[in-house]
Amino acid sequence: MPTPSPAKARSQRPGTKVNSLQDEIDRLTERFGTERKALIPILQEIKKRHHIISGYAMQCVADRLSISPAEVYGVVSFYSFLHEEYQGRIVIRLCRTISCDMAGKDAIARQLQNDLGIKFGETTDDGKFSLEWANCVGMCDRGPAILVNEQVFTHVTPEKVQEIIQACIKMYEKTPDLFKKNGHSHEHSK
Amino acid sequence: MNIRNEVTFSTIRPRDGLKAALEKSRTEVVDDILRSGLKGRGGAGFPTGIKWKLAAEEKADEKYIICNADEGEPGTFKDRVIFSEWADLVFEGMTIAGYAVGAKTGIIYLRGEYGYLRQALEDKLAARHQEGLLGDKIMGKEGVSFDIHIHMGCGAYVCGEESALIESLEGKRGEARNRPPFPVAKGLFGKPTVVNNVETLAWVAAIFALGPDWFKHVGTEKSSGYKLLSISGDVAKPGVYEFPMGTKISAILKTAGADRPKAAVVGGASGILVPAKDFKRAICFEDVSTGGSVIVLSEDRDFLDILENFQEFFADESCGQCTICRLGNVKLLEGIRLLKEGRCTTKHLQKLCTLGAAMQAASKCGLGQASPNMFLSVLQHFKGEVLGRPQAEDHFANKRKAS
Ligand SMILES: Cc1cc2nc3c(=O)[nH]c(=O)nc-3n(C[C@H](O)[C@H](O)[C@H](O)COP(=O)(O)O)c2cc1C
Ligand code: SF4
Ligand code: FES
């Protein structure tokens, strides 16, 4: 039987979820490099997979890129698409900027809050949805506009809100790994 | 369906521009762009030929061409439409720029909000590789090589500012740099870098396909060519339109079917408010300049609502480096809310105007410099409409009396 590589052995040991994150970051540095310019692509990838960039993840990335964790935190806190807190699998971002505002975004905002049972900046208890504001998403001729993860919905009306939520649930049930608890779920608790 | 009138880009065959450019020497390419009179379409309007010439003259082992696809100015969406419809023209413009200045690497800084465009762009880039339009020996020409990568932004408006964009590409917070040095001398990783807007680069391909004189002869003396405008707000037909530079705002509003317009916001949150009496003014660099955003306000709109929305935007998006921009935008927002509540004294308003002027003068980058524009514009034209608003409590007091 071939001896497993040390990295593999580590990830296979029971109860070492933390190390699996380290391994994952190792693989990301293989892909993006260990120079400073790799920082944002690595963080974007971590965010996409885990819906959070935890303090521990920031520490690991800092180690790999040989920079201070404070530098990593500085970057994570700067960009609105990176997040040090857990966000739902489905992030709904409603454009709040001028043309969407004029097109009636307030009613959409209220209905989203009602139907999801959360306020802007919050995540549902089941971890499925987060509700956020976005600044102009470049759909000003078809407002109100919302981004759902990377998908865009335009000409949204209050009665369409529930339809969109249902469509999201269906869409993501088809790709269940998006709802699957991640390896290091202990980091998700706020 | 976003495009509302005849657009030149639809008539350009991809490859024509690139082929014509590669038949010329590098200096001839720069000269053609100078001769065309092309100026940046991203907002600042810097002559593209001069930018390229400066970068071409730099001696360096590496240079970069960056396509600024951060399109974050409220009310702007033409770059999205260009990428959806004519991405090849943008890639060609970048390749021509690379040839002209001696850069082998191109980077598209695509805003995170446009993530859904990415796959199609990657596919098109791969196809161009296959066809010998990217990579080594482009179109069979010895020594001409160029590659294009896509970098995704992460939701920060200030990263559209070129030096903040470069910081972001280097893996840092998107905080604007002091200039000089300018990116053409010391840009990405300290190397000479040309940053151009998506639309600017698409025009480059069109200029080589149709000739610099064709472009020069459209528009005005100081603003050659056409401009794509993103029109939204109170209009019957919002969307992307092409107009020759120098077109009067009234004509533009008529084409888009403006509904009883009271004013137009030209240039987005960083732009200016043009009241109806000034609709005879023209869109061009020497009159009303814009990166492409036109938002029409009908008579039913309240300027304070509009201002509040813009000021929330700036307070949210300021990178926070300069105290005057970070705090100034919050102060202006508070002031607008006081006006809305009918509680702003004339004296306080005067102070806010002085603050606005200071922000224009003392901010490090264009975000802070432009952030008070709309506030000052509204006060200049419509002061009477924003002063002396009823106070909420009055209203209730009166009601009680009546019952
Ligand atoms: C706050 C701020 C945001 C900007 N956003 C953009 C943008 O989204 N796209 C763009 O092309 N230029 C933007 N610019 C202008 C760029 O700094 C730069 O002038 C432009 O990309 C140069 O390209 P051009 O000469 O082809 O217009 C922005 C400037 C500022 C100050
Ligand atoms: S002006 Fe504002 S956005 Fe620009 S560098 Fe200063 S604080 Fe940052
Ligand atoms: S204002 Fe909402 S997409 Fe531009």
Side-chain angles (χ1 to χ4, degrees), chain A residues 95 97-100 136-140 145, chain B residues 75:
Chain A
C95 173
T97 316
I98 191 71
S99 303
C100 291
C136 182
V137 298
M139 283 289 169
C140 333

Side-chain angles (χ1 to χ4, degrees), chain A residues 36-37 39-40 44 74-75 78-81 96-99 101-102 135-142 150, chain B residues 2 74-75 77 80 111 114 116 152-155 168 170-174 232 295-296 301 309 316-317:
Chain A
R36 176 69 191 247
K37 69 171 186 206
L39 178 59
I40 293 175
Q44 284 170 328
V75 166
F78 185 85
Y79 293 98
S80 62
F81 282 17
R96 65 176 157 194
T97 316
I98 191 71
S99 303
D101 186 41
M102 289 166 61
N135 285 329
C136 182
V137 298
M139 283 289 169
C140 333
D141 55 336
R142 312 180 194 182
E150 287 201 340
Chain B
N2 270 133
F77 44 94
R80 164 178 61 78
R111 66 189 309 223
Y114 288 172
Y116 55 87
M152 296 308 297
C154 309
S168 175
E170 291 182 356
K172 301 184 206 138
R173 293 161 66 92
S232 66
I295 302 162
V296 180
R301 299 291 171 184
N309 190 286
D316 191 44
E317 294 288 358

Side-chain angles (χ1 to χ4, degrees), chain A residues 73-115:
Chain A
Y73 178 76
V75 166
V76 171
S77 60
F78 185 85
Y79 293 98
S80 62
F81 282 17
L82 303 177
H83 247 264
E84 73 250 42
E85 276 174 29
Y86 177 73
Q87 277 196 313
R89 267 78 174 143
I90 301 168
V91 181
I92 298 185
R93 293 191 168 87
L94 172 65
C95 173
R96 65 176 157 194
T97 316
I98 191 71
S99 303
C100 291
D101 186 41
M102 289 166 61
K105 70 103 176 49
D106 284 346
I108 313 301
R110 286 191 286 266
Q111 202 52 42
L112 278 168
Q113 294 193 144
N114 289 344
D115 284 358

